[in-house]
Amino acid sequence: MREWWVHVGLICIPLVAVYLHIPPPHLSSALQKWHSAGDLFHFRGRDIFYRDSYGALGSSDVIILLHGFPTSSFDWIKIWEPLNQRFHRVIALDFLGFGFSDKPRPHRYSIFEQASVVEALVAHLGLSNQRVNLLSHDYGDTVALELLYRSDQNRTGHLTINSLCLSNGGLFPETHYPRLIQTLLKDSSILAAILTRITNYMIFQKGLEDVFGPYTQPTSAEYWDMWTGLRYNDGNLVMDSVLQFINQRSKHRDRWVGALTSTFVPLHMIYGPLDPVNPHPQFIRLYQLLVRRSTITILDEHISHYPQLEDPTGFLNAYLNFIHSF
């Protein structure tokens, strides 16, 4: 048995060595355009990528988009222009450790820090006194709940939130089922160190395929853009650190779920019911039970965990109907 492990180790070492020397993929024209349209601001010595687009004339409304794990602000590309036609300013950022933002290591990534990143961006853009609409997905949902908590508690530097729309995020630990590789990465430091270094495009794509519906799979080019965003600045090497957010959700459940259930900010949930991470009907039943003031849009039954990419028209219509309702 011992000799078997030795042989495996001898095989893996050169494979890992080769992989570590594979350069990150080049940006596609679509990603390059997205990157060129953005900017950077400094947060505690780190560079944070963001886009700030001026849109509808005659409107003062501002919307901030908060993306999910393990992708980036590019997740909003399919509804970016339509949002520009409705809002005066449309703002999105790559959280620390994601996309085109810095990905320091070692680093203790946390939801609290990401919320502070959003607050710092709002201050940087001169919007501290502006009421903002938050639209979030997955990981971004939990960041939004921390921002909601700070706002309702009137914490220094908080955002003034005009509305909050969530989508397919693991709000409740009891109805959240992370993928196997996520569980392995967040719970085992030794195994995580290996997995983050040997994960390649094929493994990455297979993991994401499982959270998209069978009829709404991204194209090969779209998968490649997601992988490129992850590999940028060696983001694959910080996935285990970022994934500690799953443990943070459990530890701080009362804080974040409490903010959701007690707020008077207008709330909406857009939900893809085929989501294996936050499955139907358990997730939506608990949401309806606990968050009685929220309205809900359940999209078509074949829409899964990335509704803004799988059904951008349905997602956008649901969101605009919510915004026009108050």
Side-chain angles (χ1 to χ4, degrees):
M1 181 65 70
R2 188 175 300 171
E3 291 181 357
W4 181 80
W5 281 105
V6 170
H7 289 306
V8 170
L10 291 174
I11 294 171
C12 286
I13 288 172
L15 289 176
V16 171
V18 170
Y19 174 73
L20 290 177
H21 286 86
I22 297 176
H26 293 294
L27 303 186
S28 68
S29 58
L31 265 184
Q32 184 62 59
K33 183 178 179 181
W34 184 265
H35 183 259
S36 299
D39 208 340
L40 298 173
F41 86 102
H42 301 293
F43 174 81
R44 300 175 185 172
R46 311 292 188 186
D47 285 338
I48 304 297
F49 174 83
Y50 70 94
R51 283 197 63 179
D52 178 17
S53 178
Y54 285 82
L57 298 175
S59 170
S60 60
D61 293 345
V62 175
I63 183 171
I64 299 176
L65 311 175
L66 307 177
H67 68 81
F69 176 91
T71 43
S72 70
S73 60
F74 195 62
D75 289 351
W76 304 108
I77 182 65
K78 292 185 178 181
I79 62 171
W80 187 263
E81 288 306 321
L83 288 175
N84 266 292
Q85 296 172 21
R86 168 59 180 81
F87 290 90
H88 175 57
R89 289 175 81 171
V90 181
I91 299 164
L93 75 155
D94 289 345
F95 290 122
L96 188 69
F98 294 79
F100 296 123
S101 291
D102 280 353
K103 299 167 179 176
R105 68 179 199 278
H107 186 79
R108 294 178 64 88
Y109 291 89
S110 77
I111 295 296
F112 299 101
E113 182 181 41
Q114 304 288 21
S116 295
V117 169
V118 178
E119 290 175 336
L121 175 59
V122 167
H124 173 74
L125 296 177
L127 295 172
S128 296
N129 297 319
Q130 172 80 45
R131 298 179 68 84
V132 299
N133 301 283
L134 295 180
L135 174 56
S136 60
H137 170 245
D138 185 65
Y139 180 89
D141 282 6
T142 308
V143 178
L145 294 189
E146 173 58 21
L147 291 167
L148 183 66
Y149 176 87
R150 296 181 188 187
S151 178
D152 285 352
Q153 296 293 318
N154 201 28
R155 295 293 180 91
T156 301
H158 70 85
L159 275 64
T160 304
I161 300 175
N162 188 54
S163 71
L164 170 58
C165 181
L166 308 158
S167 60
N168 286 82
L171 306 177
F172 314 114
E174 58 268 44
T175 61
H176 181 246
Y177 298 88
R179 303 288 84 192
L180 174 60
I181 192 168
Q182 292 180 331
T183 301
L184 294 173
L185 284 171
K186 77 178 181 66
D187 289 339
S188 174
S189 58
I190 296 176
L191 183 58
I194 298 172
L195 288 174
T196 56
R197 284 160 173 78
I198 65 173
T199 296
N200 58 21
Y201 172 71
M202 292 177 61
I203 295 173
F204 171 81
Q205 181 182 357
K206 181 62 178 73
L208 273 185
E209 280 179 353
D210 292 341
V211 300
F212 281 85
Y215 307 113
T216 55
Q217 288 286 313
T219 65
S220 297
E222 289 169 339
Y223 273 128
W224 192 253
D225 283 340
M226 295 175 191
W227 172 244
T228 301
L230 178 69
R231 281 295 316 274
Y232 192 89
N233 284 341
D234 293 328
N236 54 305
L237 301 183
V238 304
M239 284 193 297
D240 56 330
S241 301
V242 173
L243 272 165
Q244 294 309 307
F245 77 86
I246 297 176
N247 297 327
Q248 293 162 23
R249 279 174 175 166
S250 298
K251 181 178 181 181
H252 302 288
R253 182 193 186 280
D254 291 346
R255 176 187 181 102
W256 293 329
V257 175
L260 186 61
T261 57
S262 64
T263 189
F264 287 96
V265 168
L267 296 173
H268 191 67
M269 166 65 69
I270 303 176
Y271 179 65
L274 200 59
D275 186 357
V277 183
N278 308 287
H280 190 268
Q282 300 100 303
F283 171 81
I284 210 68
R285 283 177 179 170
L286 186 58
Y287 186 86
Q288 290 173 316
L289 176 67
L290 296 180
V291 195
R292 296 183 180 273
R293 293 191 62 256
S294 176
T295 52
I296 301 171
T297 298
I298 299 178
L299 299 174
D300 291 344
E301 61 183 12
H302 64 279
I303 305 303
S304 188
H305 184 66
Y306 272 85
Q308 76 276 37
L309 292 176
E310 298 177 65
D311 183 12
T313 300
F315 186 95
L316 182 69
N317 288 340
Y319 181 68
L320 293 182
N321 287 338
F322 163 59
I323 286 294
H324 295 152
S325 70
F326 65 89

